[in-house]
Amino acid sequence: MRIGLIFIRELRDWVEFFVRNIPGRIGFRIRTFYYGLRLSKPIKKIRFESGLRIESPRNIELGNGSYFGFNCKLYASELSSIKIGFNASFNSNVMVNARGKGRIFIGNNVLIGPNVVLRSNNHSFESIDRPVIEQGMSEGEIIIHDDVWIGSNAVVLSNCEIGKGAIIAAGAVVTSNVDSYSIVGGVPAKLLKNRLKPKN
């Protein structure tokens, strides 16, 4: 029985390696068909570039009309979830990581630049008597509202909420909530400007 399960997992890994690396339009169509069967809800008009990796697809929901660039990674688990709205755009090498017991929600019309990392959980490190690697993970979530733009190489850490229309500058590290229509940047990210014009 155990050998059979190992064989099935190995076979699935080989199939997914093949599916995620097929180039061109045929690759787009095959990936859309394959992940359309495996994700939590049916998908339409989604474009997956090659190199895509998805873990626990039954706990991932994708809105229609979205784009995922080369080598994007969507990591959920049996105890976590990822939900992405419609018309979202993920540039190359974006990692959306909700492993463990995390939750990541991304709204509609969200634009995410290359090499961005969204991580809903973090390593626990309270004890100095044990290596960090042995202390497990803390639970958390990330909420990103509609019409947010996250610049390249930015990092959004656990328990952060990014308000509607906010902009995260390239290279920023978001460690706390971001107000709607604000522009933040730096490490850690701080307010740079407000997009809303003051009323006269």
Side-chain angles (χ1 to χ4, degrees), residues 116 149-156 166-174 178 182-187 189-190 192:
V116 167
W149 174 21
I150 301 178
S152 61
N153 300 297
V155 177
V156 180
I167 296 174
I168 312 300
V173 177
V174 179
V178 176
S182 62
I183 302 174
V184 301
V187 182
K190 302 291 185 183
L192 301 177

Side-chain angles (χ1 to χ4, degrees), residues 81-184:
S81 64
I82 296 172
K83 183 175 181 180
I84 298 172
F86 64 78
N87 197 36
S89 179
F90 294 72
N91 211 309
S92 299
N93 203 37
V94 172
M95 182 173 71
V96 182
N97 190 336
R99 283 175 171 149
K101 297 181 181 179
R103 173 179 175 264
I104 296 179
F105 172 84
I106 299 172
N108 305 319
N109 300 304
V110 171
L111 182 64
I112 299 182
N115 307 312
V116 167
V117 175
L118 310 177
R119 175 108 188 208
S120 64
N121 293 342
N122 207 346
H123 291 282
S124 298
F125 55 87
E126 287 74 18
S127 174
I128 60 171
D129 299 320
R130 291 166 43 198
V132 172
I133 197 171
E134 294 179 0
Q135 296 187 47
M137 303 288 290
S138 60
E139 298 180 27
E141 68 175 9
I142 293 172
I143 300 174
I144 299 173
H145 292 275
D146 297 347
D147 190 30
V148 167
W149 174 21
I150 301 178
S152 61
N153 300 297
V155 177
V156 180
L157 297 179
S158 61
N159 298 314
C160 290
E161 182 171 356
I162 300 176
K164 181 177 180 180
I167 296 174
I168 312 300
V173 177
V174 179
T175 60
S176 59
N177 294 345
V178 176
D179 292 335
S180 297
Y181 301 106
S182 62
I183 302 174
V184 301

Side-chain angles (χ1 to χ4, degrees), residues 24-86:
R25 293 185 179 181
I26 292 175
F28 299 150
R29 292 180 181 274
I30 290 175
R31 281 186 287 277
T32 300
F33 174 76
Y34 178 77
Y35 286 112
L37 296 175
R38 301 205 62 214
L39 291 163
S40 64
K41 291 187 176 180
I43 56 176
K44 292 181 181 178
K45 297 181 179 178
I46 289 184
R47 181 169 171 172
F48 297 116
E49 296 284 2
S50 61
L52 176 75
R53 294 184 68 94
I54 295 181
E55 288 185 4
S56 296
R58 290 296 179 199
N59 291 333
I60 297 175
E61 179 180 336
L62 304 181
N64 295 333
S66 293
Y67 169 80
F68 295 85
F70 294 100
N71 300 317
C72 281
K73 303 167 186 68
L74 304 177
Y75 295 147
S77 72
E78 293 180 1
L79 301 175
S80 67
S81 64
I82 296 172
K83 183 175 181 180
I84 298 172
F86 64 78

